[in-house]
Amino acid sequence: MTEKLKGTTTVGIVCKDGVVLAADRRASLGNMVLSENVTKVFWIDDHLVLAGAGSVGDILSLVRLLRAEAKLYRARVGKEMSVKALTTLTSNVLHGSRFMPYFGWFLIAGHTGKPGLYSVDMAGGVTEDRFTAAGSGMEFAFSILEAEFKEEMTLEEGVKLALKAIKAATRRDVFTGGGVTLVTVTDEGYKEWSEEEIKGLLE
C-alpha cells in the first residue's frame, strides 16, 4: 500500500541568500486521506535537498540512492557534490529507469557556491528554475508564485511566499493538506523549520 500513497504540492524558490523548499504533509490513496504527517522534503547532504511529489515508495527509494551517492562522492572527491551534479545524477538515474520508472516529480535545490533549483520529471527531463511547483496542487501554487515572485528576494520573503503558495493549494486541492514542511538552504547549510516557527509566519 505504501507505494500507492500520493497527492501533494511542493514549492521551490531561489532567493538572493539561499533557496526555499516547502511541501504539504498529506498522503492520499484515491479519494481517501491516509496520513496528515508525511515528509516530502529530504536532506541529501549538508547543502543539498530534494522534494518529491508522487509515489512515496519510489521517492524514498530514490532518496536512499542519492544519499549514498552523495556520501561516496564526498569520500572520493573530498568535497560536497554541487546542486547541478546532483541534478545530473538524478536525471541519469531516472532516464535509465524510464521503462520501469520512479513515479515522481522531483525538485532539487541547494547552495553550493550559489543557490540553485531544478525540477526533474520521471523520464529525467531537467529544467532550471527561479521558482517552481510540482504535484496535484501545482496550478494553485503557481498562481501565487507567478504573481508575487521577485528577483533578489530575501530568504525571509521567499519563506513567506512559499508558505502562501502551499496555503493556496491546501484551500483548493483536496489532495494537499495536513500542515507544511519548510526547509531552507543557505551557505551555512540545511535548516528544517519547526512547527512553531511556521505557525508564527502563517499568523
Side-chain angles (χ1 to χ4, degrees):
M1 181 179 288
T2 302
E3 283 74 16
K4 299 178 183 178
L5 298 179
K6 60 183 181 179
T8 192
T9 301
T10 58
V11 168
I13 300 172
V14 174
C15 308
K16 67 178 181 181
D17 45 355
V19 63
V20 181
L21 281 185
D24 75 299
R25 300 182 66 86
R26 175 174 292 172
S28 58
L29 179 63
N31 293 324
M32 182 169 61
V33 175
L34 290 185
S35 176
E36 296 276 29
N37 195 33
V38 173
T39 298
K40 304 170 186 179
V41 184
F42 303 92
W43 175 93
I44 301 297
D45 207 335
D46 292 345
H47 295 83
L48 297 169
V49 63
L50 175 146
S55 166
V56 173
D58 286 351
I59 292 167
L60 292 176
S61 177
L62 183 64
V63 166
R64 289 191 294 269
L65 173 62
L66 295 179
R67 283 174 174 169
E69 290 290 346
K71 189 177 292 185
L72 284 171
Y73 183 92
R74 187 185 281 272
R76 290 170 179 163
V77 180
K79 64 179 182 179
E80 189 173 25
M81 188 181 295
S82 70
V83 184
K84 187 172 183 179
L86 179 64
T87 302
T88 300
L89 172 62
T90 304
S91 174
N92 290 342
V93 170
L94 295 174
H95 186 72
S97 305
R98 65 193 181 279
F99 298 114
M100 295 186 65
Y102 291 84
F103 287 101
W105 190 343
F106 304 94
L107 306 185
I108 296 174
H111 194 302
T112 50
K114 64 178 182 178
L117 173 66
Y118 298 84
S119 61
V120 188
D121 64 36
M122 68 181 185
V126 175
T127 305
E128 185 174 9
D129 294 295
R130 302 297 293 171
F131 65 87
T132 192
S136 57
M138 62 187 290
E139 295 93 341
F140 309 110
F142 264 122
S143 69
I144 300 297
L145 296 173
E146 291 182 338
E148 300 190 24
F149 175 81
K150 304 189 300 276
E151 294 289 344
E152 297 296 308
M153 295 181 76
T154 67
L155 194 67
E156 181 179 355
E157 290 172 331
V159 163
K160 291 179 179 178
L161 179 57
L163 291 175
K164 186 174 182 179
I166 294 292
K167 189 175 181 180
T170 299
R171 285 197 299 264
R172 294 293 182 178
D173 175 39
V174 296
F175 301 111
T176 299
V180 181
T181 300
L182 175 67
V183 167
T184 54
V185 186
T186 66
D187 189 49
E188 297 178 355
Y190 170 100
K191 176 187 175 181
E192 182 170 345
W193 292 54
S194 69
E195 289 185 13
E196 292 74 18
E197 290 174 309
I198 294 172
K199 185 177 180 181
L201 288 170
L202 289 173
E203 291 175 349

